[in-house]
Amino acid sequence: MKYRHAFHAGNFADVHKHVTLNALLRALARKDKGFLLLDTHAGRGGYDLSSSEAHRGHEAEHGIERLIDVTPPAAGWPAEISDYLTAVQTLRRERHDRAAYPGSPLLALLALRAQDRAVFIESQPGEHAALREAVSEFARYAPASLAAPRRAAVDRATLECADGYGRIAAWLPPIERRALVLIDPPYEDAVGDQRALAQALDTVLARLPSAVVAVWYPIKDQRATDAWIQRLTARLPAPPDAATMPWLVGELCVHPPDSRVGLNGSGMLVLNPPWRIAERMREWLPVLHHALDPLGRGGWTVREGAA
Ligand SMILES: C[S@@+](CC[C@H](N)C(=O)[O-])C[C@H]1O[C@@H](n2cnc3c(N)ncnc32)[C@H](O)[C@@H]1O
């Protein structure tokens, strides 16, 4: 496998995925009962946007750096965007490093509560070693008042160097009976990842039908992506105790659908979306789109359905 997320860290797709992840973590935290975050493709944990890899494609300039530079709307950023920006700025301030960028594990560790747990799985040994380092460093930079809860958050996290798809059955159902499963594959082998993903959704839903599942996917050819999402959602099993399985799709495109740039847009499929997430997404997604695609070449969409 050649994929290294450091080349893409902080790009528009990371921003879209991480705002959505943060919003889902906050939504699950509305109930007191703890939950498990299972991050099947965790990456390195955190990224250095001044590294040669990150610099090569200048991707963060059109993602997190643009969002930070843009003037917020007169009414201020929607809560989901400002929460995400606060997390990024917190990491940068604590590390005295304007180029630091949190991957999904560090974002999650900043958001999880004392009653929540996390499992981070990364299959590439080098990336896994970096993840281990990033998570163990998490408490070191915290101000003294936050050091103890940060250490406790790290203690409640489990890291595995393994195939994330293959480990789902081992972690579900969790004792809390509540889970957010983030599946964020590289799609380097698009057909292979799509096949593994469909199986992974079956496993998650068979073991915990109420799990909230968030799947990131790239949008290169919009028609092909639409057809794949339709096939994927059509085959979702209905949960045993309900008539239907609700899902929602949030997409952010920064290029026209027929553009040949490589990555036109970023999509998030959410199964069992938490209460009011779709409504909130219709507030924050257009604002995020306007900030990241000021010329309006792409677009945004929120679609809901039930299988
Ligand atoms: C898109 S990146 C993850 C980024 C991370 N979720 C974030 O938001 O910061 C995908 C990661 O999955 C890893 N990977 C690829 N195949 C995997 C598998 N079968 N199981 C676990 N990790 C895998 C890659 O090495 C890469 O680090």
Side-chain angles (χ1 to χ4, degrees):
M1 164 165 326
K2 289 203 240 55
Y3 185 87
R4 300 262 316 279
H5 194 64
F7 287 100
H8 311 292
N11 69 3
F12 78 91
D14 249 13
V15 172
H16 174 228
K17 171 180 64 189
H18 291 154
V19 172
T20 310
L21 170 64
N22 222 29
L24 291 171
L25 288 165
R26 305 276 170 191
L28 266 84
R30 279 200 296 258
K31 286 191 186 151
D32 281 344
K33 195 165 165 27
F35 63 89
L36 174 78
L37 168 71
L38 176 56
D39 185 349
T40 60
H41 293 68
R44 309 173 64 83
Y47 296 86
D48 172 8
L49 299 184
S50 66
S51 70
S52 56
E53 291 100 324
H55 254 298
R56 195 174 302 175
H58 302 282
E59 293 194 28
E61 284 172 27
H62 305 285
I64 182 60
E65 302 308 342
R66 174 171 284 172
L67 188 63
I68 282 175
D69 283 349
V70 143
T71 308
W77 292 117
E80 291 77 2
I81 298 178
S82 79
D83 271 359
Y84 158 77
L85 284 172
T86 300
V88 175
Q89 305 282 30
T90 299
L91 194 82
R92 291 182 169 187
R93 193 179 54 249
E94 288 180 0
R95 294 173 183 219
H96 305 289
D97 181 358
R98 287 173 47 89
Y101 184 75
S104 50
L106 291 190
L107 268 179
L109 288 175
L110 283 165
L112 292 176
R113 307 158 302 167
Q115 59 269 52
D116 306 322
R117 290 185 298 139
V119 174
F120 302 119
I121 307 175
E122 166 59 48
S123 67
Q124 296 304 305
E127 298 297 276
H128 173 79
L131 169 65
R132 205 161 265 293
E133 175 77 11
V135 169
S136 72
E137 275 188 340
F138 177 66
R140 194 191 313 151
Y141 294 98
S145 61
L146 288 177
R150 292 272 178 92
R151 273 196 300 274
V154 170
D155 289 345
R156 288 191 307 276
T158 305
L159 280 63
E160 292 188 343
C161 186
D163 168 26
Y165 298 120
R167 293 295 294 156
I168 289 173
W171 285 102
L172 297 181
I175 41 170
E176 298 88 347
R177 310 290 307 182
R178 297 184 73 211
L180 169 59
V181 182
L182 172 65
I183 308 181
D184 181 20
Y187 297 93
E188 205 175 26
D189 165 11
V191 174
D193 268 321
Q194 288 181 358
R195 194 175 296 138
L197 183 55
Q199 270 175 15
L201 296 184
D202 288 348
T203 308
V204 172
L205 296 174
R207 300 187 74 86
L208 186 67
S210 62
V212 178
V213 189
V215 177
W216 181 83
Y217 57 90
I219 303 173
K220 295 179 178 172
D221 175 328
Q222 184 79 58
R223 274 167 41 147
T225 306
D226 289 350
W228 171 59
I229 290 291
Q230 197 171 7
R231 285 197 304 278
L232 192 65
T233 50
R235 61 179 291 293
L236 290 173
D241 56 348
T244 53
M245 154 73 55
W247 55 263
L248 97 86
V249 152
E251 293 182 348
L252 170 76
C253 294
V254 297
H255 298 286
D258 55 353
S259 164
R260 298 201 172 271
V261 290
L263 187 65
N264 292 326
S266 157
M268 290 293 282
L269 167 67
V270 183
L271 310 185
N272 287 316
W275 185 62
R276 289 197 64 212
I277 275 283
E279 194 182 322
R280 290 298 311 154
M281 221 179 246
R282 290 189 176 97
E283 295 284 324
W284 61 257
L285 202 45
V287 176
L288 192 61
H289 174 251
H290 183 69
L292 298 182
D293 177 22
L295 299 179
R297 291 169 300 187
W300 64 275
T301 176
V302 176
R303 298 193 301 278
E304 292 174 85

